[in-house]
Amino acid sequence: MKKWIVGLSLAFSAAVGIAVAASGQSTPQKPKAAPAPVQTPTPTKAPSMTSPNLFEGLMGGQINLADYRGKVVLVVNTASQCGYTGQYAGLETLWKSRQREGLVIVGVPSNDFGGQEPGSAAEIKKFCELNYGVTFPMAAKYVVRGPSAHPFYRNALNVLGPKAEPKWNFHKILIGKDGRPIAAFPSAVTPQSAELSTAITNALGKTSQ
């Protein structure tokens, strides 16, 4: 009888020990997920001041070709000491005679060819007004050919090909009502030439896109 009681007691103690040992085991914890990286907003890029549409004005301000959408624009690289400088008079006449039809002329002084536009902005303005009565918009002095050219000229080159790159002063690029370059004319094509007049008339007749 005593052996039976002792055996029962030992069995009970063993069971209790197992239960205690089991209760002392900690439940494994799932590893915490790493926090999601903080997303930094991409900064908005400021509009470029060297857009194909934008020129600094000769005496300050800006000339934005986008403002002339729906009109036809003739962009001419100019110089004050060139054999073609007399074309200023023809450009002013063309501007006055066809402005009401929707033609805009923009002069872009450049010293790229023979150093024939060495003057300051004030000197260029004075020269144009006193000698030719120029009233059409005039941009600041720019490079108009090569890798340093104003983006307008690089864009025109991409659209029209080599004929769009000025070879000398008073080269002309015609822009349609949709703002795209549509034709280019070498310096020898005068403002009163039938070739240029026809191109302007055709461009003015087209509906703006």
Side-chain angles (χ1 to χ4, degrees):
M1 181 68 176
K2 288 182 180 180
K3 291 182 179 180
W4 179 81
I5 292 173
V6 171
L8 181 61
S9 177
L10 291 174
F12 176 79
S13 298
V16 170
I18 293 170
V20 169
S23 64
Q25 291 179 353
S26 59
T27 304
Q29 299 292 323
K30 292 183 179 179
K32 292 183 179 180
V38 177
Q39 297 294 326
T40 304
T42 302
T44 303
K45 187 177 181 181
S48 172
M49 294 304 292
T50 56
S51 158
N53 289 328
L54 286 177
F55 290 88
E56 296 296 328
L58 182 62
M59 299 304 294
Q62 293 178 355
I63 297 172
N64 188 349
L65 299 183
D67 292 341
Y68 301 131
R69 194 175 181 86
K71 297 179 181 291
V72 172
V73 184
L74 185 67
V75 179
V76 186
N77 61 292
T78 63
S80 300
Q81 300 176 10
C82 178
Y84 291 111
T85 299
Q87 288 192 18
Y88 265 129
L91 291 170
E92 180 66 18
T93 297
L94 181 61
W95 157 250
K96 287 181 175 177
S97 64
R98 308 203 69 170
Q99 183 180 4
R100 290 185 179 180
E101 297 177 56
L103 175 68
V104 177
I105 294 176
V106 176
V108 183
S110 178
N111 199 40
D112 289 6
F113 307 101
Q116 294 179 348
E117 188 55 280
S120 66
E123 289 169 336
I124 294 169
K125 181 177 185 292
K126 182 178 180 180
F127 174 86
C128 291
E129 291 179 350
L130 290 180
N131 292 281
Y132 299 103
V134 169
T135 60
F136 54 81
M138 292 286 292
K141 193 190 304 188
Y142 281 100
V143 173
V144 299
R145 63 174 294 155
S148 298
H150 184 282
F152 167 80
Y153 283 94
R154 285 186 272 132
N155 180 61
L157 184 62
N158 289 335
V159 175
L160 299 175
K163 64 183 178 180
E165 184 173 55
K167 302 298 188 293
W168 202 253
N169 305 305
F170 290 88
H171 173 272
K172 304 161 187 72
I173 297 175
L174 191 65
I175 304 172
K177 291 182 179 181
D178 60 357
R180 286 178 57 82
I182 55 176
F185 305 88
S187 307
V189 175
T190 68
Q192 277 65 51
S193 69
E195 180 182 358
L196 180 58
S197 179
T198 298
I200 292 171
T201 299
N202 290 340
L204 287 169
K206 290 184 177 179
T207 303
S208 179
Q209 301 298 316

